[in-house]
Amino acid sequence: MEIFTLLETLEETIENSRTMPFTNKGLVDKEELLDLIKEIRIKLPEELKQAKWVKEERTRILVEAQKEGEDIVKEAENRIIAMIDEHEITRKAYEQKTEIIETANEMAREIANGTKNHADELLAGIEDVLEETLRIIQNNRKELK
């Protein structure tokens, strides 16, 4: 990702800056740091767009899983209606219906949980990057002041 490259460049610029004698303070090129910060700001919206996409994709997958589950339930109900002719067939149909519904519900839960976990991992990664970027920027601003 370009933002990491920019952050590494920012870090290298600070690390390679000349230090003032008898202090831990560094002399940096203000314009260069401001340009890097500006580039980071330009790149951040893309990360935010990705987070939004992940959220929307998660919602879409959940809706799709719910629809698929409903379709499976409807299919099971249709099978049951077609098998009502005989008592034994009816009993088996109810067993199958329950089994299919349980399977569909379990599949929907697994899909939903997997989607939530995946979205959470992506958002957590983006959050970490943004927090680290903010921390670096705040530290740089403090040093500049």
Side-chain angles (χ1 to χ4, degrees):
M1 293 183 110
E2 290 181 43
I3 196 161
F4 290 119
T5 306
L6 290 170
L7 290 172
E8 287 173 8
T9 304
L10 183 63
E11 187 175 45
E12 287 173 10
T13 301
I14 293 168
E15 285 177 353
N16 295 331
S17 67
R18 292 186 307 165
T19 57
M20 293 179 63
F22 308 110
T23 68
N24 196 21
K25 306 268 184 202
L27 297 173
V28 294
D29 182 352
K30 183 178 177 180
E31 290 295 319
E32 184 179 357
L33 290 182
L34 289 174
D35 286 343
L36 286 170
I37 291 170
K38 188 185 294 183
E39 282 294 316
I40 290 170
R41 277 198 183 112
I42 290 170
K43 301 300 179 195
L44 283 178
E46 184 61 35
E47 303 293 330
L48 297 175
K49 288 177 189 175
Q50 288 177 359
K52 182 182 177 197
W53 177 84
V54 167
K55 182 181 176 188
E56 290 171 353
E57 187 66 11
R58 177 184 156 260
T59 302
R60 184 193 65 77
I61 290 171
L62 288 173
V63 167
E64 190 176 300
Q66 181 67 31
K67 184 184 179 313
E68 187 176 324
E70 289 171 1
D71 290 346
I72 291 171
V73 169
K74 285 178 185 176
E75 182 181 333
E77 288 172 351
N78 289 338
R79 284 184 188 175
I80 290 170
I81 291 170
M83 299 170 78
I84 290 183
D85 294 343
E86 232 176 275
H87 177 68
E88 182 64 24
I89 293 173
T90 302
R91 186 182 62 75
K92 287 183 180 181
Y94 280 114
E95 289 174 6
Q96 281 184 338
K97 173 191 164 196
T98 303
E99 192 174 300
I100 290 171
I101 289 172
E102 288 174 7
T103 302
N105 287 334
E106 182 61 33
M107 286 174 54
R109 275 192 296 275
E110 287 177 15
I111 291 170
N113 287 337
T115 302
K116 287 177 185 177
N117 289 338
H118 182 65
D120 186 53
E121 288 173 12
L122 288 174
L123 290 172
I126 291 169
E127 183 181 33
D128 290 342
V129 168
L130 292 175
E131 286 175 354
E132 181 63 22
T133 302
L134 180 60
R135 186 187 63 73
I136 290 170
I137 291 170
Q138 288 171 341
N139 288 339
N140 290 337
R141 288 188 70 208
K142 284 179 187 176
E143 287 185 24
L144 288 173
K145 287 182 181 180

